[in-house]
Amino acid sequence: MIEAFFNIEIMKAAWPIVLTGLWNTILLSLIVVPLGLLGGLILALLASIRHPLVRWPLMAWVDFFRAFPPLVLLVLLFAGLPFAGLELGGFACVAIAFFLNTGSYYGEIFRAGIDSVPAGQVEAARSTGLTRMQAMRYVVLPQAVRNVMPDLLSNTLEVVKLTSLGSVVAVPELLYEARQAQSITYNPTPIVMAAVIYFLLLWPLVRLLSRLENRALAGRR
Amino acid sequence: MATNHIVDARAIHKHFGTLHVLKGVDLKVDERELVFIIGPSGSGKSTLLRCLNRLEDPSSGSIMVDGIDMLNPKTDINHARRRIGMVFQSFNLYPHMTALGNVTLALRNVAGKARAEAEVLGRAALERVGLADRADHTPGQLSGGQQQRVAIARSIALEPRVMLFDEPTSALDPELVGSVLEVMRGLRESGMTMIVVSHEMGFARNAADRVVFMDDGLIVEQGPPAAIFENPTHERTRAFIGQIQRH
Ligand SMILES: Nc1ncnc2c1ncn2[C@@H]1O[C@H](COP(=O)(O)OP(=O)(O)OP(=O)(O)O)[C@@H](O)[C@H]1O
Ligand SMILES: [Mg+2]
């Protein structure tokens, strides 16, 4: 058992490969999380224009990309776009899929945050002559983000986990590299290493999230 | 159209869907005048105030404030609003900013002052409401009365020509009402034009130039406080005043 799953020799041999994977996972996260946040913010700002011509297409968009399994979306982009004459590569496909999928989730979170700010806040801001955009930027958004911080963090956690989907389209992130190492060494130890690294990477976020959630609960009491 | 009234609202109608809330209100206010608006709940007092600075769009009518046509689509409404301060029942301070931050936000982003100058002006405004020493407190660290005074400072820092107050003391514990009325009295003495919706009859008696009684979307009668409170001519006014004086 120990030989199979915690083989020290294999660990040593696989370490450089797994490390490359780790960096790529971090890099991928550092790209897709801001991209998703940006997409979400744009969606939420558009949603604050309560015009039916904006509202319905937006709802359709968000619903569609939330209902669509991200893995299917990714494979569709990766396998389908070349037929449309677009050869984008795995990394770009992951970025686009995440922008569409997680952007929709972030969008709903931002929207809930914006809705949670009392209307009187905007009225006070507008009554002093601030424009709609200024009121949004200086008064509403800071409060909105603070109100939904636990949800934003929790979604970010999911996004980082989802980067492992990149392995399906040959993006050399942590899981992909670990599987490479496994197939070279004929031993599952690299996969165990990847699992441990995922845990170590995400655990601080999980702790932070728990603390935020507890504080939010305490604040509500 | 020449007018020597700083506020000149004519034939204001406001509908919310099928609800006819303002049914042709005329309100003229002189410079330095303090006009007090009273009336039963739902009579349209807040809606009237909110039409004056276009937080609500009237369905019809005309509104001139300090010579600016508030309903002209070409009017820069944000510029016009700088000149019209508004104080709300629920204070509506920005909870994520300090008292000074609340006061300087519009100074910097609407009046275009640099940070240093905005802070000087902001501190001066807080000084006027007796809260110079609370500049770095957040709203959560202030009492209701202090919060409302910060809200007043936020408005007066922009040097408005008119101030609108919508039940500024209704959300306050009784012992905190006095400090806010004190500040309002100071403003009045400095010559500020004020339109106040409130049930503080004592304040109305000794500070108001004119009391306006509204009912069901119309101004029923108006006049000097003594006349309205002691000798109302309309039955509805008499009933309303009797009712609030019993409380
Ligand atoms: N945004 C709105 N949408 C629909 N109806 C509204 C809206 N704002 C006010 N109303 C209605 O308009 C009427 C007048 O409201 P308004 O707030 O002006 O009364 P008020 O005289 O200020 O009353 P109060 O003393 O309770 O504050 C009420 O029937 C109210 O329900
Ligand atoms: Mg009201």
Side-chain angles (χ1 to χ4, degrees):
Chain A
M1 269 300 266
I2 302 260
E3 278 294 282
F5 290 101
F6 300 97
N7 190 314
I8 301 289
E9 287 310 308
I10 302 241
M11 276 189 199
K12 277 187 193 153
W15 181 240
I17 305 177
V18 172
L19 196 64
T20 313
L22 171 61
W23 286 129
N24 281 330
T25 287
I26 291 175
L27 182 68
L28 195 56
S29 302
L30 287 180
I31 291 170
V32 296
V33 168
L35 216 54
L37 284 168
L38 181 71
L41 195 58
I42 292 171
L43 288 175
L45 289 178
L46 285 175
S48 71
I49 306 168
R50 292 173 200 282
H51 194 281
L53 277 181
V54 180
R55 193 186 165 133
W56 295 112
L58 209 64
M59 266 176 68
W61 173 281
V62 168
D63 277 7
F64 180 78
F65 285 110
R66 287 206 306 167
F68 213 82
L71 180 56
V72 180
L73 180 61
L74 181 58
V75 172
L76 195 67
L77 286 173
F78 189 68
L81 282 183
F83 289 97
L86 261 177
E87 201 86 47
L88 282 181
F91 216 95
C93 285
V94 172
I96 295 172
F98 273 63
F99 179 73
L100 296 175
N101 174 261
T102 70
S104 295
Y105 280 94
Y106 278 125
E108 285 299 283
I109 295 172
F110 279 125
R111 198 174 62 92
I114 289 171
D115 285 349
S116 75
V117 178
Q121 290 287 309
V122 177
E123 291 179 354
R126 300 293 318 265
S127 78
T128 61
L130 291 173
T131 64
R132 195 187 293 272
M133 282 308 287
Q134 286 175 324
M136 183 56 87
R137 173 168 165 207
Y138 297 114
V139 175
V140 177
L141 276 183
Q143 297 184 61
V145 168
R146 197 170 61 177
N147 290 351
V148 293
M149 197 43 113
D151 299 309
L152 286 176
L153 201 58
S154 148
N155 197 49
T156 302
L157 207 62
E158 292 307 313
V159 174
V160 176
K161 288 183 199 165
L162 275 180
T163 57
S164 60
L165 289 184
S167 63
V168 175
V169 292
V171 171
E173 47 69 63
L174 182 53
L175 179 61
Y176 182 85
E177 293 290 35
R179 296 200 61 178
Q180 289 293 104
Q182 178 208 9
S183 65
I184 297 167
T185 58
Y186 299 105
N187 185 292
T189 299
I191 307 288
V192 175
M193 291 168 77
V196 171
I197 291 174
Y198 271 121
F199 175 76
L200 292 179
L201 193 65
L202 293 174
W203 186 60
L205 274 180
V206 173
R207 282 308 330 144
L208 181 62
L209 181 60
S210 294
R211 285 184 49 185
L212 280 182
E213 280 169 343
N214 284 337
R215 213 165 57 192
L217 276 180
R220 225 168 282 157
R221 267 196 296 266
Chain B
M1 183 178 62
T3 162
N4 41 14
H5 300 289
I6 189 159
V7 173
D8 188 345
R10 298 186 186 192
I12 304 299
H13 284 261
K14 176 64 185 175
H15 299 263
F16 287 112
T18 55
L19 196 63
H20 198 176
V21 173
L22 296 179
K23 301 175 177 171
V25 174
D26 293 288
L27 184 68
K28 294 179 177 48
V29 179
D30 283 329
E31 212 159 323
R32 307 170 83 89
E33 196 183 11
L34 193 158
V35 173
F36 219 81
I37 303 180
I38 59 173
S41 182
S43 55
K45 308 179 296 293
S46 298
T47 306
L48 175 61
L49 279 195
R50 293 160 58 85
C51 282
L52 293 181
N53 69 351
R54 282 263 313 274
L55 280 186
E56 301 288 357
D57 282 311
S59 311
S60 64
S62 74
I63 299 176
M64 302 288 293
V65 179
D66 196 21
I68 297 172
D69 182 352
M70 297 297 289
L71 303 186
N72 186 333
K74 289 198 207 98
T75 297
D76 178 352
I77 193 67
N78 298 312
H79 188 77
R81 280 178 178 150
R82 256 182 76 183
R83 296 292 180 209
I84 310 173
M86 188 165 210
V87 175
F88 302 84
Q89 179 173 357
S90 49
F91 327 139
N92 298 349
L93 288 185
Y94 315 131
H96 58 301
M97 295 180 188
T98 62
L100 186 62
N102 270 271
V103 177
T104 54
L105 182 67
L107 279 172
R108 298 189 60 191
N109 294 291
V110 182
K113 308 282 186 203
R115 175 194 283 269
E117 191 188 357
E119 290 191 350
V120 170
L121 293 171
R123 284 182 198 280
L126 287 172
E127 175 97 55
R128 280 184 72 186
V129 299
L131 291 174
D133 56 337
R134 296 289 192 275
D136 299 322
H137 288 54
T138 60
Q141 299 166 326
L142 299 173
S143 75
Q146 291 171 333
Q147 289 188 52
Q148 192 61 299
R149 283 145 66 197
V150 172
I152 293 173
R154 175 170 67 182
S155 286
I156 61 177
L158 294 165
E159 297 180 359
R161 303 276 290 127
V162 189
M163 290 272 294
L164 312 174
F165 293 82
D166 193 358
E167 307 208 24
T169 58
S170 297
L172 297 177
D173 292 335
E175 70 272 20
L176 300 176
V177 169
S179 67
V180 171
L181 294 181
E182 193 62 35
V183 166
M184 290 172 64
R185 198 164 288 136
L187 269 181
R188 158 153 190 65
E189 275 152 23
S190 75
M192 179 68 73
T193 306
M194 296 160 73
I195 305 178
V196 181
V197 172
S198 167
H199 296 297
E200 294 294 334
M201 295 306 150
F203 182 72
R205 268 173 210 279
N206 59 45
D209 297 296
R210 176 161 46 121
V211 174
V212 171
F213 174 67
M214 280 184 73
D215 191 18
D216 197 23
L218 282 169
I219 292 179
V220 175
E221 69 176 295
Q222 51 186 313
I228 297 292
F229 291 135
E230 319 313 341
N231 286 312
T233 48
H234 285 72
E235 181 48 43
R236 281 189 288 177
T237 320
R238 204 169 304 143
F240 178 75
I241 288 180
Q243 207 177 356
I244 48 175
Q245 277 171 348
R246 243 173 280 127
H247 282 295

